[in-house]
Amino acid sequence: MKKENRKEEIILTATKLFKKKGYSAVTMRDLAKEMGIKAASLYNHIKSKQDILTNIIISLAEEFTSEMNDILNSDLNSIDKLNKIIAVHVKITSNNPNGMASLNNDWMHLEEKLDYYLTLRTKYEDDFREIIKQGISSNEIIDSNPEIMLFSMLSTLRSLYLWIPKKEDINPTELANNLGLVLINGVKK
C-alpha cells in the first residue's frame, strides 16, 4: 500500500476511534490494534496521535473557511447565503461525520495549531454573524438578536454529526433544504 494511502487509512480509523472513545482515551496501541498492525508501524506514516488530530481538525476548519469565503464573495442575498452555509455543513458532515466529532469535541486538545484553529473558527463565526446582520439591515431577516440567531443555527449545524450517521438513506440536498426551511423560516405555520 502506498504511504499516502496508508496515512489516509490511519486517519480514517483514528476518526472512528476518536468519535467512539474521545481523543484522550485513544492510544496509538488502540489505533494499531484496530488496523491489525504493530504500533511501531504507525510511525512510518505519521508522527504522533497529535499529528492525526491536527490533520483531522485543521483540514475540516480550512474547508469550512474556504467555503465561507466563497459564500461571502458571492452576489447572493443574505437568505441565499445562509442556505449555502447550511448546505456546506450538511455536505461536509455527510462526508466526514467522524471527523466532525473530533472538530466539535476534541479541538481543545490541539497543541501547536490551537491558535490557528481558533483564528479560523472565530473568523468563520464572525463572517456568519455578518451575513445575519446584513440580512437584518436589508430587511430580509427579522430584526432580532444576531447572537441568538447565530447560536441557534450553529448549534444545530455543529451537531449534525450525531444525527446524520443514524439516517441510512439521507439525501444531503433534501436535508439541507429542509434544514434551511426550519432554521431560516422557523416552524410557525
Side-chain angles (χ1 to χ4, degrees):
M1 179 174 277
K2 289 183 181 177
K3 189 171 184 168
E4 195 57 38
N5 290 344
R6 183 56 121 177
K7 182 178 179 178
E8 289 171 16
E9 183 185 356
I10 292 166
I11 291 169
L12 284 173
T13 303
T15 60
K16 292 174 190 168
L17 287 174
F18 293 167
K19 182 179 181 191
K20 182 178 178 182
K21 296 173 139 186
Y23 171 78
S24 297
V26 175
T27 66
M28 292 298 275
R29 195 174 306 272
D30 295 332
L31 180 54
K33 182 179 178 185
E34 186 74 21
M35 295 189 67
I37 61 175
K38 295 182 182 198
S41 298
L42 291 172
Y43 294 103
N44 292 327
H45 305 281
I46 53 147
K47 296 176 192 168
S48 64
K49 184 172 89 164
Q50 179 63 210
D51 187 45
I52 296 169
L53 184 69
T54 299
N55 183 296
I56 294 164
I57 292 176
I58 297 303
S59 65
L60 285 167
E62 288 175 342
E63 186 177 359
F64 275 110
T65 299
S66 174
E67 294 278 1
M68 178 62 86
N69 287 335
D70 290 346
I71 293 166
L72 277 175
N73 293 322
S74 72
D75 292 330
L76 299 171
N77 65 37
S78 297
I79 296 295
D80 289 341
K81 286 179 179 180
L82 291 176
N83 276 310
K84 287 279 188 194
I85 291 169
I86 292 167
V88 163
H89 275 266
V90 169
K91 176 184 80 170
I92 292 173
T93 304
S94 295
N95 290 337
N96 192 352
N98 295 325
M100 288 301 297
S102 288
L103 179 72
N104 285 293
N105 301 326
D106 299 319
W107 62 267
M108 70 288 300
H109 298 294
L110 288 172
E111 293 169 2
E112 293 176 15
K113 294 281 192 168
L114 179 60
D115 288 340
Y116 175 62
Y117 166 72
L118 290 173
T119 298
L120 292 176
R121 179 178 170 154
T122 299
K123 180 167 179 359
Y124 185 88
E125 290 173 359
D126 288 346
D127 291 342
F128 201 144
R129 185 180 298 105
E130 187 56 33
I131 290 169
I132 292 169
K133 287 179 178 179
Q134 288 171 0
I136 292 170
S137 293
S138 65
N139 215 22
E140 293 174 76
I141 297 173
I142 60 169
D143 189 2
S144 188
N145 187 325
E147 292 301 319
I148 294 172
M149 290 182 209
L150 178 66
F151 171 76
S152 297
M153 294 177 99
L154 271 178
S155 295
T156 298
L157 297 173
R158 285 180 173 154
S159 64
L160 284 172
Y161 76 93
L162 295 168
W163 190 76
I164 285 177
K166 296 175 183 173
K167 307 297 178 200
E168 292 178 15
D169 59 346
I170 196 134
N171 177 320
T173 303
E174 188 177 314
L175 176 58
N177 290 338
N178 286 325
L179 274 172
L181 287 172
V182 173
L183 293 175
I184 296 170
N185 299 337
V187 295
K188 187 176 178 182
K189 193 169 187 179

